[in-house]
Amino acid sequence: MTNPTGSRSLSRLIRRSMNSSTLFTILVFAVIVTILLSIVIRPLAQLGAQLVAHSTMREMTSPAFPGNHGIERLEDLSPDASGFQRWWETVERQEVVNYRIPLIDGDEPLVYDEGREMPRELHTVDLIVELDGRELYRSAYLSPSGTAEEAIRERNWLYEYFNKPYLAPIVNDEGREIGLITSRIYPPLLVEIVGVTAVLMLLLGLLCFYVNYLLGKLLIGPMQRSLGQLRNVFRRLADGDVDELFENGVRMDRSYSEIEEIAVEADRIIDNTKMYMGQLREKNEELEAQKKVLTLHATIDGLTGLFNRRHFLELLAGRLEEPGLTLALLDIDDFKRINDTYGHAAGDVILEGFAGVLREAFGGRAVAGRFGGEEFAVFLTGVPESEALDGAERLRRAIGSARFELPRHGSIGVTSSIGMVWARHNRGTFEELYQLADAALYASKAAGKNRVTLADDSLLRREG
């Protein structure tokens, strides 16, 4: 039966592939066997070569060795020395194992006590003995020509891996190295067969692994990927992370018909959700824009960009009891004359410039607002009285030195009168503080303007 999407049926494909997958899976054990062979055989061969080398060395370096061979010291050992042949035969026994096997009579082996066993020799070790720059001994099975390194070199990488030579230095009584014994396990037919078998098993194991990998990739892989993709689609829908889904829809890799049908339905859900979300987004954008406009109008003075009076008071509501409180009221001197002389447009330029100087003077440390007309207010906490006064003086001087460019009238300057109140620990209301600051401002105006007055019970004045 063909599915509408044209995809393969998952259940049918699994049934058809089950038998072949099972047969190949059985061969996986070959990898384990090959690893065990590689781990075990090589150290055993090294151990055997090491034992033979040290057995030969113990005999050569024993205290009785020079005397037994008619020489005074080990370095003098040569084929001309008496007893050399006996030493040669002793070393030769290190590389050959004699064993006996029974003769075969038909299909049954004869028993040993009948005296018909046949002795055999098995060459097990390659051995080279070098002494004082001379080669004294070389196994008969090695090439008689060339150096020891050339003679011991293997024919192929398999022998080289399993039969790495062992090198044992010969040291005299003074601790000087005078020779070298090179030994290795001879690569017998059994090792060769085991090596070939291990390679074949490894190849079969790798083939098994590769076939199972391909089957899994063809069967399980697409299903897992597709189900994972569907799971992520619905998870992102549930979490509200839908922008990319709305843009691209559900994108599936090559999959099976059953999963693709689910994906089609998921795509329909996303399309419908996209439509409703688009409508909601438009409504939210409209509301956000209206909210920003309302917030701006409710908190910011449209001309100067400072806080308006209402929002200024809201920001101060919870901070009136903070220590080191300062409230300063500022008024532009003779502002009415400026408006009358240059016009209200010029007055607006002065107000904007005045607000800019105010922002630069206090930065983000203070709350600054416009109370109306040419009157401004600054609120600051956490400063001592002297620092508050110094700051007010710096602000007064900065306003006096500022120049404001008026259209068609060039630049002019203004001055400001400042009245301020400072309280180490305030217990009064804002209205009480405002009345004190306003009285100090009036005192600055009355004293000739362009000055700072600090209010207290006696309205202490400080002239600029």
Side-chain angles (χ1 to χ4, degrees), residues 33-49 158-159 161-164 185-188 190-199:
V33 175
T34 302
I35 293 175
L36 289 176
L37 286 173
S38 301
I39 293 175
V40 173
I41 290 181
R42 188 180 186 187
L44 287 179
Q46 275 280 291
L47 177 61
L158 183 63
Y159 288 172
Y161 177 81
F162 286 107
N163 297 279
K164 184 178 179 180
I185 298 298
Y186 180 79
L190 177 62
V191 175
E192 194 167 355
I193 293 175
V194 171
V196 173
T197 304
V199 172

Side-chain angles (χ1 to χ4, degrees), residues 38-65:
S38 301
I39 293 175
V40 173
I41 290 181
R42 188 180 186 187
L44 287 179
Q46 275 280 291
L47 177 61
Q50 179 179 354
L51 292 174
V52 171
H54 283 283
S55 174
T56 304
M57 187 186 303
R58 278 195 300 273
E59 180 179 348
M60 292 182 66
T61 57
S62 66
F65 183 85

Side-chain angles (χ1 to χ4, degrees), residues 363-385:
R365 297 179 59 195
V367 179
R370 182 186 179 194
F371 268 33
E374 70 272 23
E375 185 180 359
F376 296 82
V378 174
F379 178 81
L380 185 65
T381 61
V383 296
E385 181 180 357

